[in-house]
Amino acid sequence: MADRWHLLHNLATAVEKTVRRHRACLKQPGPEPDSTAAPPEETRAQQQIRARWNEIRTLYENGMRISAISDRTGLDRKTVRRYAHAATAEELIPVRPGRRSTLSPHKPYLAERWAEGCDSAQTLRDSMPAATTAAARASAAS
């Protein structure tokens, strides 16, 4: 009876052989998306923040007190105050930076090797410069 490691190893080998055999069937990747393209569409949450900001700012600028706006909108007074004192709706929309993975520092090197035709994960990992992998381990540990 085979253990888990051997089962996974055999499966990985079979998948790698199949992919290698049918590589010609795979579509070539399309061009990189243009970075000057239109900005991404607003999410529903962003639209809601803008609409809420417009409503609260209009009421606040017309002289309505924060507690009255809170009663009218059903929002907490602190939330209404934050919206009323924001100069623009963008101040209220949270900025979410992209996730960074432990692989991020290696992406340029891996992309270059992939473009050269190296498509084996094991070969790519083994061929990464030692300084690069040591730096990645150090940054991952901190």
Side-chain angles (χ1 to χ4, degrees):
M1 178 169 233
D3 59 5
R4 263 186 285 182
W5 186 90
H6 284 96
L7 289 172
L8 289 174
H9 178 73
N10 293 340
L11 175 64
T13 304
V15 168
E16 190 172 336
K17 283 180 184 176
T18 303
V19 169
R20 197 175 299 130
R21 200 172 324 131
H22 295 284
R23 184 175 179 151
C25 301
L26 297 174
K27 292 180 182 176
Q28 292 298 323
E32 288 291 320
D34 187 14
S35 62
T36 60
E41 292 184 26
E42 272 192 338
T43 64
R44 199 169 350 141
Q46 290 171 331
Q47 291 171 352
Q48 184 180 19
I49 289 171
R50 285 186 197 289
R52 205 178 266 172
W53 179 81
N54 285 329
E55 177 187 7
I56 291 171
R57 282 295 290 194
T58 302
L59 294 172
Y60 187 68
E61 288 172 355
N62 288 336
M64 192 177 270
R65 293 187 352 238
I66 289 179
S67 58
I69 298 171
S70 174
D71 292 340
R72 183 173 178 168
T73 61
L75 298 171
D76 187 71
R77 282 182 301 110
K78 292 178 218 151
T79 303
V80 171
R81 184 181 310 119
R82 192 166 48 92
Y83 275 76
H85 292 167
T88 64
E90 280 70 27
E91 291 179 27
L92 302 166
I93 297 173
V95 177
R96 296 195 173 132
R99 290 186 175 184
R100 183 155 174 84
S101 73
T102 55
L103 192 60
S104 293
H106 307 291
K107 284 184 179 179
Y109 172 76
L110 295 172
E112 178 184 327
R113 288 296 313 268
W114 188 269
E116 292 171 357
C118 181
D119 61 353
S120 167
Q122 182 69 39
T123 305
L124 287 170
R125 186 180 66 85
D126 291 343
S127 69
M128 279 198 284
T132 308
T133 55
R137 278 189 296 243
S139 67
S142 59

mmCIF file of all heavy atoms in Angstrom, residues 73-113:
data_model
loop_
_atom_site.group_PDB
_atom_site.id
_atom_site.type_symbol
_atom_site.label_atom_id
_atom_site.label_comp_id
_atom_site.label_asym_id
_atom_site.label_seq_id
_atom_site.Cartn_x
_atom_site.Cartn_y
_atom_site.Cartn_z
ATOM 1 N N THR A 73 -31.184 59.379 8.881
ATOM 2 C CA THR A 73 -30.569 58.322 8.069
ATOM 3 C C THR A 73 -30.487 56.985 8.790
ATOM 4 O O THR A 73 -30.277 55.960 8.147
ATOM 5 C CB THR A 73 -29.144 58.734 7.648
ATOM 6 O OG1 THR A 73 -28.345 58.937 8.814
ATOM 7 C CG2 THR A 73 -29.162 59.962 6.771
ATOM 8 N N GLY A 74 -30.597 57.000 10.110
ATOM 9 C CA GLY A 74 -30.477 55.752 10.867
ATOM 10 C C GLY A 74 -29.031 55.350 11.120
ATOM 11 O O GLY A 74 -28.762 54.242 11.574
ATOM 12 N N LEU A 75 -28.098 56.257 10.819
ATOM 13 C CA LEU A 75 -26.677 55.988 11.053
ATOM 14 C C LEU A 75 -26.260 56.542 12.405
ATOM 15 O O LEU A 75 -26.876 57.468 12.933
ATOM 16 C CB LEU A 75 -25.832 56.634 9.950
ATOM 17 C CG LEU A 75 -26.079 56.136 8.530
ATOM 18 C CD1 LEU A 75 -25.336 57.016 7.528
ATOM 19 C CD2 LEU A 75 -25.621 54.699 8.401
ATOM 20 N N ASP A 76 -25.206 56.014 12.953
ATOM 21 C CA ASP A 76 -24.673 56.489 14.219
ATOM 22 C C ASP A 76 -24.156 57.920 14.046
ATOM 23 O O ASP A 76 -23.697 58.299 12.969
ATOM 24 C CB ASP A 76 -23.534 55.559 14.672
ATOM 25 C CG ASP A 76 -23.055 55.918 16.061
ATOM 26 O OD1 ASP A 76 -23.790 55.676 17.030
ATOM 27 O OD2 ASP A 76 -21.918 56.449 16.164
ATOM 28 N N ARG A 77 -24.220 58.722 15.133
ATOM 29 C CA ARG A 77 -23.761 60.110 15.065
ATOM 30 C C ARG A 77 -22.295 60.215 14.663
ATOM 31 O O ARG A 77 -21.905 61.103 13.917
ATOM 32 C CB ARG A 77 -23.952 60.806 16.424
ATOM 33 C CG ARG A 77 -25.368 61.221 16.709
ATOM 34 C CD ARG A 77 -25.500 61.942 18.052
ATOM 35 N NE ARG A 77 -25.059 61.092 19.163
ATOM 36 C CZ ARG A 77 -23.946 61.308 19.878
ATOM 37 N NH1 ARG A 77 -23.171 62.331 19.632
ATOM 38 N NH2 ARG A 77 -23.635 60.503 20.870
ATOM 39 N N LYS A 78 -21.461 59.282 15.147
ATOM 40 C CA LYS A 78 -20.031 59.336 14.806
ATOM 41 C C LYS A 78 -19.812 59.080 13.318
ATOM 42 O O LYS A 78 -18.956 59.690 12.691
ATOM 43 C CB LYS A 78 -19.259 58.319 15.643
ATOM 44 C CG LYS A 78 -19.225 58.660 17.111
ATOM 45 C CD LYS A 78 -18.494 57.588 17.880
ATOM 46 C CE LYS A 78 -19.201 57.391 19.192
ATOM 47 N NZ LYS A 78 -19.069 56.065 19.719
ATOM 48 N N THR A 79 -20.617 58.186 12.753
ATOM 49 C CA THR A 79 -20.522 57.906 11.319
ATOM 50 C C THR A 79 -20.958 59.135 10.528
ATOM 51 O O THR A 79 -20.288 59.534 9.559
ATOM 52 C CB THR A 79 -21.394 56.693 10.943
ATOM 53 O OG1 THR A 79 -20.990 55.582 11.728
ATOM 54 C CG2 THR A 79 -21.293 56.370 9.465
ATOM 55 N N VAL A 80 -22.046 59.756 10.937
ATOM 56 C CA VAL A 80 -22.537 60.952 10.261
ATOM 57 C C VAL A 80 -21.503 62.063 10.359
ATOM 58 O O VAL A 80 -21.224 62.762 9.372
ATOM 59 C CB VAL A 80 -23.890 61.406 10.845
ATOM 60 C CG1 VAL A 80 -24.302 62.763 10.298
ATOM 61 C CG2 VAL A 80 -24.962 60.370 10.568
ATOM 62 N N ARG A 81 -20.882 62.232 11.525
ATOM 63 C CA ARG A 81 -19.860 63.259 11.699
ATOM 64 C C ARG A 81 -18.677 63.014 10.761
ATOM 65 O O ARG A 81 -18.163 63.933 10.127
ATOM 66 C CB ARG A 81 -19.367 63.293 13.147
ATOM 67 C CG ARG A 81 -18.372 64.417 13.392
ATOM 68 C CD ARG A 81 -17.829 64.481 14.820
ATOM 69 N NE ARG A 81 -18.879 64.438 15.807
ATOM 70 C CZ ARG A 81 -18.999 63.478 16.745
ATOM 71 N NH1 ARG A 81 -18.124 62.496 16.801
ATOM 72 N NH2 ARG A 81 -19.972 63.508 17.609
ATOM 73 N N ARG A 82 -18.259 61.760 10.654
ATOM 74 C CA ARG A 82 -17.139 61.419 9.774
ATOM 75 C C ARG A 82 -17.472 61.763 8.319
ATOM 76 O O ARG A 82 -16.666 62.339 7.597
ATOM 77 C CB ARG A 82 -16.823 59.924 9.923
ATOM 78 C CG ARG A 82 -15.534 59.501 9.294
ATOM 79 C CD ARG A 82 -15.093 58.122 9.759
ATOM 80 N NE ARG A 82 -16.119 57.102 9.726
ATOM 81 C CZ ARG A 82 -16.337 56.303 8.694
ATOM 82 N NH1 ARG A 82 -15.610 56.389 7.612
ATOM 83 N NH2 ARG A 82 -17.288 55.400 8.746
ATOM 84 N N TYR A 83 -18.696 61.419 7.904
ATOM 85 C CA TYR A 83 -19.121 61.732 6.533
ATOM 86 C C TYR A 83 -19.265 63.234 6.329
ATOM 87 O O TYR A 83 -18.890 63.769 5.282
ATOM 88 C CB TYR A 83 -20.450 61.037 6.218
ATOM 89 C CG TYR A 83 -20.308 59.615 5.743
ATOM 90 C CD1 TYR A 83 -20.017 58.585 6.623
ATOM 91 C CD2 TYR A 83 -20.481 59.289 4.406
ATOM 92 C CE1 TYR A 83 -19.888 57.285 6.193
ATOM 93 C CE2 TYR A 83 -20.359 57.992 3.958
ATOM 94 C CZ TYR A 83 -20.059 56.984 4.858
ATOM 95 O OH TYR A 83 -19.932 55.699 4.418
ATOM 96 N N ALA A 84 -19.825 63.937 7.298
ATOM 97 C CA ALA A 84 -20.065 65.379 7.177
ATOM 98 C C ALA A 84 -18.751 66.155 7.118
ATOM 99 O O ALA A 84 -18.650 67.160 6.412
ATOM 100 C CB ALA A 84 -20.916 65.874 8.340
ATOM 101 N N HIS A 85 -17.745 65.693 7.823
ATOM 102 C CA HIS A 85 -16.475 66.426 7.877
ATOM 103 C C HIS A 85 -15.499 66.011 6.774
ATOM 104 O O HIS A 85 -14.458 66.648 6.627
ATOM 105 C CB HIS A 85 -15.837 66.254 9.252
ATOM 106 C CG HIS A 85 -16.612 66.931 10.335
ATOM 107 N ND1 HIS A 85 -16.385 66.704 11.676
ATOM 108 C CD2 HIS A 85 -17.642 67.824 10.300
ATOM 109 C CE1 HIS A 85 -17.212 67.422 12.404
ATOM 110 N NE2 HIS A 85 -17.997 68.107 11.583
ATOM 111 N N ALA A 86 -15.828 64.992 6.019
ATOM 112 C CA ALA A 86 -14.962 64.574 4.912
ATOM 113 C C ALA A 86 -15.136 65.547 3.750
ATOM 114 O O ALA A 86 -16.259 65.847 3.346
ATOM 115 C CB ALA A 86 -15.299 63.156 4.478
ATOM 116 N N ALA A 87 -14.023 66.031 3.207
ATOM 117 C CA ALA A 87 -14.084 66.982 2.089
ATOM 118 C C ALA A 87 -14.561 66.299 0.808
ATOM 119 O O ALA A 87 -15.253 66.908 -0.004
ATOM 120 C CB ALA A 87 -12.720 67.621 1.864
ATOM 121 N N THR A 88 -14.175 65.048 0.620
ATOM 122 C CA THR A 88 -14.592 64.289 -0.567
ATOM 123 C C THR A 88 -14.964 62.870 -0.140
ATOM 124 O O THR A 88 -14.562 62.398 0.926
ATOM 125 C CB THR A 88 -13.452 64.187 -1.611
ATOM 126 O OG1 THR A 88 -12.375 63.453 -1.038
ATOM 127 C CG2 THR A 88 -12.981 65.563 -2.061
ATOM 128 N N ALA A 89 -15.692 62.200 -1.016
ATOM 129 C CA ALA A 89 -16.073 60.811 -0.733
ATOM 130 C C ALA A 89 -14.854 59.894 -0.768
ATOM 131 O O ALA A 89 -14.828 58.860 -0.092
ATOM 132 C CB ALA A 89 -17.123 60.344 -1.731
ATOM 133 N N GLU A 90 -13.815 60.277 -1.532
ATOM 134 C CA GLU A 90 -12.612 59.447 -1.631
ATOM 135 C C GLU A 90 -11.926 59.276 -0.283
ATOM 136 O O GLU A 90 -11.268 58.270 -0.042
ATOM 137 C CB GLU A 90 -11.624 60.038 -2.644
ATOM 138 C CG GLU A 90 -11.964 59.743 -4.086
ATOM 139 C CD GLU A 90 -13.199 60.490 -4.584
ATOM 140 O OE1 GLU A 90 -13.512 61.588 -4.057
ATOM 141 O OE2 GLU A 90 -13.862 59.962 -5.476
ATOM 142 N N GLU A 91 -12.072 60.270 0.607
ATOM 143 C CA GLU A 91 -11.479 60.157 1.947
ATOM 144 C C GLU A 91 -12.088 59.003 2.727
ATOM 145 O O GLU A 91 -11.458 58.450 3.621
ATOM 146 C CB GLU A 91 -11.699 61.453 2.739
ATOM 147 C CG GLU A 91 -10.923 62.638 2.240
ATOM 148 C CD GLU A 91 -11.209 63.879 3.064
ATOM 149 O OE1 GLU A 91 -11.558 63.746 4.261
ATOM 150 O OE2 GLU A 91 -11.091 64.974 2.511
ATOM 151 N N LEU A 92 -13.313 58.664 2.403
ATOM 152 C CA LEU A 92 -14.032 57.632 3.146
ATOM 153 C C LEU A 92 -13.851 56.233 2.560
ATOM 154 O O LEU A 92 -14.096 55.241 3.239
ATOM 155 C CB LEU A 92 -15.528 57.976 3.178
ATOM 156 C CG LEU A 92 -15.855 59.334 3.797
ATOM 157 C CD1 LEU A 92 -17.283 59.714 3.473
ATOM 158 C CD2 LEU A 92 -15.619 59.304 5.287
ATOM 159 N N ILE A 93 -13.431 56.167 1.302
ATOM 160 C CA ILE A 93 -13.269 54.861 0.646
ATOM 161 C C ILE A 93 -11.921 54.284 1.045
ATOM 162 O O ILE A 93 -10.882 54.894 0.802
ATOM 163 C CB ILE A 93 -13.381 55.001 -0.882
ATOM 164 C CG1 ILE A 93 -14.780 55.484 -1.253
ATOM 165 C CG2 ILE A 93 -13.059 53.683 -1.575
ATOM 166 C CD1 ILE A 93 -14.972 55.817 -2.708
ATOM 167 N N PRO A 94 -11.918 53.121 1.679
ATOM 168 C CA PRO A 94 -10.650 52.541 2.130
ATOM 169 C C PRO A 94 -9.786 52.108 0.949
ATOM 170 O O PRO A 94 -10.282 51.618 -0.060
ATOM 171 C CB PRO A 94 -11.073 51.325 2.961
ATOM 172 C CG PRO A 94 -12.444 50.998 2.503
ATOM 173 C CD PRO A 94 -13.055 52.273 1.997
ATOM 174 N N VAL A 95 -8.491 52.322 1.088
ATOM 175 C CA VAL A 95 -7.537 51.914 0.074
ATOM 176 C C VAL A 95 -6.986 50.558 0.497
ATOM 177 O O VAL A 95 -6.463 50.411 1.597
ATOM 178 C CB VAL A 95 -6.392 52.939 -0.057
ATOM 179 C CG1 VAL A 95 -5.367 52.462 -1.069
ATOM 180 C CG2 VAL A 95 -6.941 54.285 -0.424
ATOM 181 N N ARG A 96 -7.147 49.590 -0.378
ATOM 182 C CA ARG A 96 -6.677 48.242 -0.058
ATOM 183 C C ARG A 96 -5.497 47.906 -0.954
ATOM 184 O O ARG A 96 -5.669 47.678 -2.149
ATOM 185 C CB ARG A 96 -7.791 47.233 -0.261
ATOM 186 C CG ARG A 96 -8.927 47.486 0.694
ATOM 187 C CD ARG A 96 -9.854 46.311 0.748
ATOM 188 N NE ARG A 96 -10.827 46.542 1.787
ATOM 189 C CZ ARG A 96 -12.107 46.386 1.639
ATOM 190 N NH1 ARG A 96 -12.581 46.007 0.482
ATOM 191 N NH2 ARG A 96 -12.919 46.620 2.632
ATOM 192 N N PRO A 97 -4.307 47.869 -0.367
ATOM 193 C CA PRO A 97 -3.154 47.521 -1.194
ATOM 194 C C PRO A 97 -3.221 46.063 -1.626
ATOM 195 O O PRO A 97 -3.836 45.241 -0.960
ATOM 196 C CB PRO A 97 -1.966 47.763 -0.265
ATOM 197 C CG PRO A 97 -2.516 47.636 1.111
ATOM 198 C CD PRO A 97 -3.961 48.088 1.016
ATOM 199 N N GLY A 98 -2.594 45.770 -2.765
ATOM 200 C CA GLY A 98 -2.569 44.393 -3.249
ATOM 201 C C GLY A 98 -1.841 43.489 -2.276
ATOM 202 O O GLY A 98 -0.955 43.915 -1.544
ATOM 203 N N ARG A 99 -2.232 42.266 -2.249
ATOM 204 C CA ARG A 99 -1.575 41.313 -1.365
ATOM 205 C C ARG A 99 -0.168 41.016 -1.849
ATOM 206 O O ARG A 99 0.088 40.927 -3.028
ATOM 207 C CB ARG A 99 -2.366 40.007 -1.313
ATOM 208 C CG ARG A 99 -3.664 40.160 -0.602
ATOM 209 C CD ARG A 99 -4.310 38.815 -0.477
ATOM 210 N NE ARG A 99 -5.511 38.944 0.304
ATOM 211 C CZ ARG A 99 -6.256 37.931 0.641
ATOM 212 N NH1 ARG A 99 -5.941 36.728 0.261
ATOM 213 N NH2 ARG A 99 -7.330 38.117 1.368
ATOM 214 N N ARG A 100 0.723 40.834 -0.921
ATOM 215 C CA ARG A 100 2.100 40.509 -1.243
ATOM 216 C C ARG A 100 2.344 39.088 -0.748
ATOM 217 O O ARG A 100 2.026 38.753 0.379
ATOM 218 C CB ARG A 100 3.034 41.483 -0.550
ATOM 219 C CG ARG A 100 4.473 41.255 -0.890
ATOM 220 C CD ARG A 100 5.244 42.554 -0.703
ATOM 221 N NE ARG A 100 6.652 42.339 -0.896
ATOM 222 C CZ ARG A 100 7.253 42.339 -2.066
ATOM 223 N NH1 ARG A 100 6.552 42.550 -3.154
ATOM 224 N NH2 ARG A 100 8.537 42.140 -2.169
ATOM 225 N N SER A 101 2.896 38.275 -1.617
ATOM 226 C CA SER A 101 3.184 36.904 -1.242
ATOM 227 C C SER A 101 4.682 36.711 -1.111
ATOM 228 O O SER A 101 5.474 37.575 -1.500
ATOM 229 C CB SER A 101 2.625 35.938 -2.295
ATOM 230 O OG SER A 101 3.414 35.990 -3.458
ATOM 231 N N THR A 102 5.074 35.570 -0.600
ATOM 232 C CA THR A 102 6.499 35.272 -0.483
ATOM 233 C C THR A 102 7.115 35.061 -1.859
ATOM 234 O O THR A 102 8.326 35.116 -2.007
ATOM 235 C CB THR A 102 6.735 34.023 0.385
ATOM 236 O OG1 THR A 102 5.991 32.943 -0.154
ATOM 237 C CG2 THR A 102 6.307 34.274 1.819
ATOM 238 N N LEU A 103 6.285 34.864 -2.857
ATOM 239 C CA LEU A 103 6.774 34.667 -4.219
ATOM 240 C C LEU A 103 6.995 35.995 -4.946
ATOM 241 O O LEU A 103 7.704 36.046 -5.944
ATOM 242 C CB LEU A 103 5.762 33.807 -4.992
ATOM 243 C CG LEU A 103 6.178 33.249 -6.326
ATOM 244 C CD1 LEU A 103 7.399 32.349 -6.163
ATOM 245 C CD2 LEU A 103 5.041 32.472 -6.947
ATOM 246 N N SER A 104 6.427 37.072 -4.447
ATOM 247 C CA SER A 104 6.510 38.374 -5.121
ATOM 248 C C SER A 104 7.918 38.807 -5.497
ATOM 249 O O SER A 104 8.125 39.282 -6.609
ATOM 250 C CB SER A 104 5.843 39.451 -4.268
ATOM 251 O OG SER A 104 4.461 39.203 -4.191
ATOM 252 N N PRO A 105 8.929 38.668 -4.615
ATOM 253 C CA PRO A 105 10.264 39.114 -5.009
ATOM 254 C C PRO A 105 10.841 38.313 -6.184
ATOM 255 O O PRO A 105 11.730 38.781 -6.881
ATOM 256 C CB PRO A 105 11.120 38.900 -3.761
ATOM 257 C CG PRO A 105 10.192 38.634 -2.653
ATOM 258 C CD PRO A 105 8.888 38.220 -3.241
ATOM 259 N N HIS A 106 10.337 37.114 -6.410
ATOM 260 C CA HIS A 106 10.872 36.234 -7.445
ATOM 261 C C HIS A 106 10.135 36.342 -8.777
ATOM 262 O O HIS A 106 10.575 35.756 -9.765
ATOM 263 C CB HIS A 106 10.793 34.772 -6.984
ATOM 264 C CG HIS A 106 11.409 34.539 -5.652
ATOM 265 N ND1 HIS A 106 12.749 34.612 -5.430
ATOM 266 C CD2 HIS A 106 10.837 34.244 -4.460
ATOM 267 C CE1 HIS A 106 12.995 34.359 -4.154
ATOM 268 N NE2 HIS A 106 11.856 34.144 -3.550
ATOM 269 N N LYS A 107 9.044 37.066 -8.827
ATOM 270 C CA LYS A 107 8.206 37.074 -10.024
ATOM 271 C C LYS A 107 8.940 37.508 -11.293
ATOM 272 O O LYS A 107 8.772 36.872 -12.327
ATOM 273 C CB LYS A 107 6.951 37.913 -9.794
ATOM 274 C CG LYS A 107 5.935 37.181 -8.946
ATOM 275 C CD LYS A 107 4.662 37.961 -8.798
ATOM 276 C CE LYS A 107 3.673 37.178 -7.954
ATOM 277 N NZ LYS A 107 2.430 37.894 -7.767
ATOM 278 N N PRO A 108 9.768 38.564 -11.263
ATOM 279 C CA PRO A 108 10.467 38.930 -12.502
ATOM 280 C C PRO A 108 11.370 37.801 -13.012
ATOM 281 O O PRO A 108 11.376 37.492 -14.208
ATOM 282 C CB PRO A 108 11.285 40.168 -12.116
ATOM 283 C CG PRO A 108 10.609 40.717 -10.920
ATOM 284 C CD PRO A 108 10.006 39.547 -10.214
ATOM 285 N N TYR A 109 12.116 37.184 -12.112
ATOM 286 C CA TYR A 109 13.008 36.096 -12.508
ATOM 287 C C TYR A 109 12.217 34.913 -13.051
ATOM 288 O O TYR A 109 12.546 34.349 -14.098
ATOM 289 C CB TYR A 109 13.853 35.654 -11.304
ATOM 290 C CG TYR A 109 14.658 34.416 -11.582
ATOM 291 C CD1 TYR A 109 15.815 34.475 -12.350
ATOM 292 C CD2 TYR A 109 14.246 33.179 -11.102
ATOM 293 C CE1 TYR A 109 16.553 33.341 -12.623
ATOM 294 C CE2 TYR A 109 14.973 32.039 -11.372
ATOM 295 C CZ TYR A 109 16.125 32.116 -12.126
ATOM 296 O OH TYR A 109 16.842 30.996 -12.404
ATOM 297 N N LEU A 110 11.141 34.556 -12.357
ATOM 298 C CA LEU A 110 10.328 33.416 -12.788
ATOM 299 C C LEU A 110 9.658 33.685 -14.137
ATOM 300 O O LEU A 110 9.586 32.793 -14.988
ATOM 301 C CB LEU A 110 9.282 33.080 -11.723
ATOM 302 C CG LEU A 110 9.849 32.580 -10.394
ATOM 303 C CD1 LEU A 110 8.736 32.471 -9.357
ATOM 304 C CD2 LEU A 110 10.560 31.258 -10.559
ATOM 305 N N ALA A 111 9.210 34.902 -14.348
ATOM 306 C CA ALA A 111 8.583 35.250 -15.630
ATOM 307 C C ALA A 111 9.594 35.147 -16.759
ATOM 308 O O ALA A 111 9.271 34.659 -17.855
ATOM 309 C CB ALA A 111 7.996 36.659 -15.557
ATOM 310 N N GLU A 112 10.808 35.591 -16.488
ATOM 311 C CA GLU A 112 11.862 35.509 -17.502
ATOM 312 C C GLU A 112 12.161 34.051 -17.856
ATOM 313 O O GLU A 112 12.238 33.685 -19.029
ATOM 314 C CB GLU A 112 13.127 36.190 -16.970
ATOM 315 C CG GLU A 112 14.313 36.125 -17.898
ATOM 316 C CD GLU A 112 15.541 36.732 -17.253
ATOM 317 O OE1 GLU A 112 15.401 37.690 -16.465
ATOM 318 O OE2 GLU A 112 16.639 36.230 -17.524
ATOM 319 N N ARG A 113 12.291 33.208 -16.830
ATOM 320 C CA ARG A 113 12.590 31.794 -17.066
ATOM 321 C C ARG A 113 11.426 31.103 -17.781
ATOM 322 O O ARG A 113 11.609 30.255 -18.631
ATOM 323 C CB ARG A 113 12.888 31.062 -15.753
ATOM 324 C CG ARG A 113 14.218 31.404 -15.121
ATOM 325 C CD ARG A 113 15.405 30.985 -15.986
ATOM 326 N NE ARG A 113 15.305 29.645 -16.500
ATOM 327 C CZ ARG A 113 15.783 28.544 -15.922
ATOM 328 N NH1 ARG A 113 16.438 28.645 -14.803
ATOM 329 N NH2 ARG A 113 15.608 27.348 -16.467
#
